């Protein structure tokens, strides 16, 4: 399969050997050793795709509907030619680092592809991140060039990026930053070019930078398959985020396999994935170009300018075939009974698939989506992550959709479910779960192309080993998800993170089960929730603690607490009923990508000292839990 997907793209190996015999999983094996390719070339000149150079490759959209822009294939190629030549002229070469502090738009894509054209390493961070979050990431990898937006539009308001960019530049110039390219996202907001230059760093506006490039042809560096392409960052909330290095061939192989085989994308397809440039789904979605598909790059609130109808209107007007989003977005539509298929002003007949990720999609939302969107869509909850820049659990248009399940394992991904108790010694084979549908840890048992190359920095290999191979030894990739596999369907049920598994009285279950009940039965009252286990030194057993955020106008009281307990008991079991049900008056702590920070809450409630980093988007929420835990401990009998 891998050879057929890449045979047109590999040079210097005929036929290429996929892997050496008996290749280990760690240290990472070298796929297609001796071959050569360029990632950007595969996206800009997709093989076996019937595309017209004048056809639209990229559409950039924001909340301002009057500023929608289209970029043709020929225009995209020429912009990458000019930008890559300009980067080469300022000294960027193989293994240089180019960073983007940018929103999801065509200029960001041009910068990404231009870096890849030269063999430079690309990394991107969304402008909604604070300065500390940006520097925690970029100082580690010392970018030579920084692309930055002057401003962004979000939730109906213009946000200048100048002050944050100046702070970022002021620190990064101490770590090798030489050039800043400012993208004028909003024309009426100042660029800050003079202030950047005053910091002794070269600075140009994006169009000026492209115009300064030599009129040389577009030349793609031909590189080994394991050449670094992207740096993505773990969403860890303690310590510095880990800088994960992904390879060119591994990324291209996985994405093209998933897009072409799992998603049925081709030159007639158009994808809109609602994402920021910080999230791996941005990198995943732009790779649809390798199938000859076009892409819609959207930045802004999903609920502007037409409330809950905003994204459905965009899907209709742009004839999107594949729509990706988060489970939180779909559950928000469900909670507010938004059914775009009933709106006569919308035409969603082009829509073939809806993809959901970031958190498990509740079974009730599966049923809702099939009543809210055309019933012919392939609704697919998918799972994978930043660590593998791709999917372990994938969609399949040929298989039935079972509510609450991910349809199948990704092709070529030897996943399994093992007993969560670590074996002794750890390099012995862990036990598969018994019975086969019991919950356990998600693992991968054989090497796969998109394993990270390393973690950036001097201790990268040790951090890499500790992240994925410390729990079960070097022969099993430990992904950190608590899952159950359905033997009858082959589907995967996501139960939460394995480090946040709940285990009251020895019964193991995932927080997703509690969240599913809240979504199904309390969507009109509960806005959000976090469910964790608490076990302090004084506790003989773990207590399940559920904290809810009420919707505006709704009041939390003993009646709500009692009804939640009753419904959980009825729908799950008496052992699932939380021992603590309270209102989270400080909100649910989340990362910048919107993921709940369960583990930090669990540690705080259990009496551990937790120092969080800038990955926490709302640290005040964790402060509230610290105070709640302090009061709860004071109430303990002496």
């Amino acid at each position: 399969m891998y050879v057929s997907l890449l045979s047109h793209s590999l040079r210097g190996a005929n036929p290429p050997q996929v892997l050496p015999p008996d290749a280990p999983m760690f240290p990472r094996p070298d796929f297609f050793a001796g071959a050569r390719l360029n990632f950007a070339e595969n996206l800009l000149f997709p093989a076996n795709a019937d595309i017209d150079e004048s056809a639209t490759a990229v559409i950039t959209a924001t909340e301002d509907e009057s500023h929608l822009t289209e970029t043709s294939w020929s225009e995209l190629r020429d912009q990458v030619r000019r930008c890559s030549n300009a980067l080469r002229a300022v000294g960027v070469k193989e293994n240089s680092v180019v960073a983007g502090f940018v929103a999801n738009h065509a200029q960001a894509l041009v910068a990404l592809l231009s870096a890849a054209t030269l063999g430079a390493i690309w990394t991107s961070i969304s402008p909604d991140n604070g300065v500390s979050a940006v520097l925690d990431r970029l100082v580690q990898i010392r970018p030579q060039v920084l692309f930055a937006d002057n401003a962004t539009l979000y939730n109906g308001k213009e946000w200048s990026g100048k002050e944050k960019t100046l702070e970022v530049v002021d620190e990064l110039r101490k770590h090798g930053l030489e050039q800043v390219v400012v993208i004028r996202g909003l024309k009426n907001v100042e660029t800050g070019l003079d202030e950047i230059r005053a910091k002794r760093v070269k600075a140009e506006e994006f169009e000026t930078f492209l115009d300064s490039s030599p009129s040389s042809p577009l030349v793609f560096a031909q590189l080994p398959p394991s050449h670094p392409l992207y740096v993505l960052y773990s969403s860890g909330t303690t310590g510095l985020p880990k800088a994960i290095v992904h390879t060119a061939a591994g990324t291209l192989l996985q994405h093209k396999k998933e897009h072409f085989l799992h998603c049925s994308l081709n030159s007639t397809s158009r994808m809109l994935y609602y994402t920021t440039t910080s999230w791996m789904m941005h990198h995943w979605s732009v790779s649809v170009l390798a199938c000859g598909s076009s892409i819609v790059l959207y930045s802004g609130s999903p609920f502007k300018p037409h409330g809950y109808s905003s994204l459905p209107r965009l899907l209709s007007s742009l004839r999107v075939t594949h729509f990706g989003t988060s489970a939180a977005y779909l559950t928000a539509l469900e909670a507010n009974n938004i059914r775009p298929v009933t709106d006569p002003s919308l035409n969603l007949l082009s829509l073939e698939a809806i993809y959901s990720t970031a958190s498990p999609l509740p079974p009730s939302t599966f049923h809702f989506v099939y009543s809210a969107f055309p019933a012919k869509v392939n609704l697919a909850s998918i799972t994978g992550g930043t660590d593998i820049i791709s999917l372990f659990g994938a969609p399949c248009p040929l298989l039935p959709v079972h509510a609450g399940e991910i349809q199948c394992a990704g092709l070529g991904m030897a996943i399994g479910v093992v007993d969560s108790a670590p074996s002794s010694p750890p390099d012995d084979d862990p036990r598969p779960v018994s019975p086969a549908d019991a919950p356990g840890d998600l693992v991968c048992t054989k090497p796969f192309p998109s394993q990270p190359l390393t973690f950036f920095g001097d201790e990268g290999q040790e951090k890499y080993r500790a992240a994925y191979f410390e729990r079960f030894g070097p022969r099993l990739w430990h992904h950190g998800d608590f899952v159950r596999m359905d033997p009858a369907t082959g589907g995967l049920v996501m139960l939460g993170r394995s480090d946040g598994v709940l285990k009251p009285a020895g019964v193991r279950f995932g927080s997703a089960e509690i969240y599913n009940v809240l979504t199904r039965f309390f969507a009109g009252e509960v806005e959000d929730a976090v469910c964790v286990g608490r076990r302090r030194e004084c506790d003989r057993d773990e207590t399940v603690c559920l904290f809810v955020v009420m919707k505006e106008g709704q009041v939390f009281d003993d009646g709500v607490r009692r009804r939640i307990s009753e419904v959980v008991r009825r729908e799950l079991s008496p052992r699932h009923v939380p021992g603590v049900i309270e209102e989270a008056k400080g909100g649910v702590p989340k990362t910048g990508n919107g993921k709940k920070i369960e583990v930090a809450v669990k540690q705080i409630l259990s009496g551990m000292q937790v120092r969080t980093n800038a990955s926490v988007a709302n640290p005040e929420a964790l402060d509230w839990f610290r105070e709640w835990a302090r009061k709860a401990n004071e109430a303990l009998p002496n």
Side-chain angles (χ1 to χ4, degrees):
M1 175 187 68
Y2 290 135
V3 173
S4 63
L5 281 172
L6 271 193
S7 58
H8 67 277
S9 308
L10 295 170
R11 297 177 171 89
N14 189 26
Q17 182 185 46
V18 178
L19 270 181
D22 302 319
M25 183 165 282
F26 182 82
R28 181 191 185 273
D30 196 6
F31 283 77
F32 298 103
R36 293 291 184 271
L37 82 159
N38 186 277
F39 179 85
E41 183 178 14
N42 279 270
L43 269 62
L44 289 169
F45 294 89
N48 304 317
D50 182 20
I51 58 173
D52 186 325
E53 287 189 1
S54 63
T56 298
V58 182
I59 297 175
T60 300
T62 71
E63 296 173 14
D64 185 348
E65 295 172 307
S66 67
H67 283 182
L68 185 142
T69 59
E70 296 190 9
T71 306
S72 70
W73 285 94
S74 62
E75 289 169 336
L76 180 62
R77 292 165 181 169
D78 188 60
Q79 288 181 36
V80 172
R81 178 191 66 80
R82 295 162 62 208
C83 188
S84 61
N85 285 339
L87 287 173
R88 186 183 288 112
V90 298
V92 173
K93 53 186 181 297
E94 292 179 21
N95 295 308
S96 297
V97 177
V98 179
F101 187 26
V102 288
N104 192 26
H105 46 56
Q107 295 94 326
L109 176 60
V110 168
L112 178 160
L113 292 172
S114 299
T117 294
L118 303 178
I121 304 169
W122 171 258
T123 192
S124 56
I125 301 172
S126 175
D128 58 345
N129 281 273
V131 171
S132 295
V134 177
L135 293 177
D136 280 352
R137 289 157 174 79
L138 295 189
V139 166
Q140 295 186 64
I141 65 172
R142 303 170 64 92
Q144 181 179 345
V145 177
L146 176 71
F147 288 81
D149 289 342
N150 75 317
T152 55
L153 177 66
Y154 190 86
N155 207 27
K157 182 178 177 181
E158 294 184 350
W159 301 85
S160 173
K162 189 184 80 167
E163 295 306 321
K164 288 199 289 188
T165 297
L166 288 174
E167 287 189 57
V168 168
V169 169
D170 194 46
E171 182 62 29
L172 290 183
R173 67 181 177 84
K174 305 171 189 175
H175 300 275
L177 182 67
E178 299 173 3
Q179 174 80 55
V180 177
V181 181
V182 177
I183 299 167
R184 190 182 283 271
L186 295 176
K187 296 188 182 302
N188 297 324
V189 179
E190 59 184 327
T191 60
L193 288 171
D194 290 337
E195 291 95 326
I196 295 171
R197 291 168 184 147
K199 297 181 180 296
R200 302 189 304 280
V201 175
K202 292 183 286 185
E204 297 291 344
E205 195 173 331
F206 182 80
E207 288 300 333
T208 305
F209 184 68
L210 266 60
D211 289 342
S212 70
S213 68
S215 58
S216 306
L218 179 57
V219 177
F220 298 102
Q222 298 304 312
L223 305 161
S226 59
H227 188 80
L229 171 70
Y230 293 140
V231 171
L232 277 66
Y233 305 92
S234 68
S235 57
T237 55
T238 58
L240 287 176
K242 297 178 181 66
I244 306 169
V245 183
H246 286 291
T247 66
T251 302
L252 179 64
L253 268 171
Q254 288 289 87
H255 291 182
K256 192 161 187 181
K257 173 197 72 178
E258 290 160 358
H259 293 148
F260 186 66
L261 299 177
H262 282 280
C263 303
S264 294
L265 285 159
N266 56 44
S267 59
T268 68
S269 305
R270 175 169 291 170
M271 177 177 281
L272 187 163
Y273 215 108
Y274 182 75
T275 177
T276 72
T277 56
S278 295
W279 195 16
M280 65 137 294
M281 298 314 301
H282 166 74
H283 306 77
W284 187 83
S285 62
V286 301
S287 292
V288 302
L289 294 171
C291 293
S293 308
S294 61
I295 184 170
V296 181
L297 302 176
Y298 179 82
S299 63
S301 167
F303 306 118
K304 292 287 183 179
H306 303 290
Y308 291 106
S309 297
S310 299
L311 286 183
R313 284 181 64 151
L314 204 57
L315 301 178
S316 172
S317 64
L318 299 181
R319 302 184 303 282
V320 169
T321 60
H322 294 70
F323 171 49
T325 185
S326 65
Y329 174 79
L330 295 176
T331 57
L333 297 187
E334 179 185 15
N336 291 277
N337 197 29
I338 306 299
R339 301 174 188 267
V341 75
T342 64
D343 186 340
S345 69
L346 301 181
N347 182 353
L348 299 175
L349 294 179
S350 296
L351 195 61
E352 300 173 15
I354 298 176
Y355 302 136
S356 169
T357 190
S359 60
L361 190 66
S364 64
T365 311
F366 275 81
H367 296 292
F368 166 77
V369 168
Y370 276 106
S371 68
F373 290 88
K376 67 181 179 67
V377 300
N378 176 201
L379 171 62
S381 180
I382 58 179
T383 188
T386 297
D387 311 82
I388 65 170
I389 203 169
S390 58
L391 308 178
F392 277 135
C396 179
L398 303 179
L399 293 175
V401 175
H402 296 275
E405 292 188 3
I406 292 167
Q407 284 183 286
C408 64
L411 291 167
M413 307 298 275
I415 66 171
V417 183
V418 300
D419 193 305
S420 297
S423 55
S424 181
D427 57 351
D428 287 347
D429 289 335
R431 302 179 299 275
V433 292
S434 181
D437 63 349
D441 264 280
L442 176 66
V443 297
C444 193
T445 63
K446 294 183 180 179
F448 53 95
S450 63
Q451 286 179 233
L453 178 66
T454 185
F455 286 3
F456 205 97
D458 294 337
E459 300 177 357
Q461 279 299 94
E462 176 54 30
K463 291 178 181 178
Y464 183 17
R465 185 202 63 78
Y468 310 116
F469 300 102
E470 190 168 68
R471 179 74 180 275
F472 295 122
R475 288 181 290 177
L476 285 184
W477 173 283
H478 174 227
H479 200 54
D481 281 331
F482 190 54
V483 305
R484 179 174 61 81
M485 190 172 286
D486 188 332
T489 65
L492 204 62
V493 179
M494 307 304 295
L495 301 173
R497 295 292 293 174
S498 59
D499 50 10
V501 168
L502 304 162
K503 195 179 179 182
V507 178
R508 298 174 63 86
F509 61 93
S511 57
E513 296 183 66
I514 303 296
Y515 300 147
N516 290 348
V517 169
L518 294 177
T519 299
R520 183 178 177 188
F521 295 98
F522 296 91
E525 300 171 76
V526 175
E527 180 73 31
D528 206 349
V530 61
C531 186
V532 300
R534 177 186 68 182
R535 187 164 189 170
R536 301 163 294 190
E537 288 187 10
C538 60
D539 294 330
R540 298 182 61 184
D541 194 9
E542 182 175 275
T543 299
V544 177
C545 300
L546 172 64
F547 296 87
V548 299
V549 177
M550 303 302 290
K551 284 184 173 290
E552 186 175 353
Q554 298 292 323
V555 176
F556 180 84
D557 55 22
D558 286 339
V560 173
R561 182 183 289 114
R562 183 182 65 254
R563 285 189 291 113
I564 290 175
S565 296
E566 291 171 349
V567 173
V568 170
R569 181 184 300 272
R570 183 186 75 225
E571 296 296 319
L572 298 176
S573 80
R575 292 187 178 183
H576 284 77
V577 177
V580 171
I581 302 177
E582 295 288 349
E583 183 177 10
K585 296 181 180 179
V588 172
K590 296 184 179 182
T591 68
N593 288 343
K595 293 184 178 181
K596 297 178 185 181
I597 304 174
E598 292 180 345
V599 174
V601 174
K602 177 178 181 176
Q603 292 171 340
I604 289 170
L605 299 190
S606 299
M608 299 173 64
Q609 297 298 317
V610 178
R611 294 183 63 186
T612 57
N613 63 26
S615 293
V616 183
N618 52 339
E620 68 280 359
L622 287 177
D623 291 339
W624 184 88
F625 279 103
R626 289 188 178 95
E627 180 63 15
W628 187 91
R630 184 187 65 78
K631 292 179 179 178
N633 291 335
E634 287 178 352
L636 288 171
N638 294 325

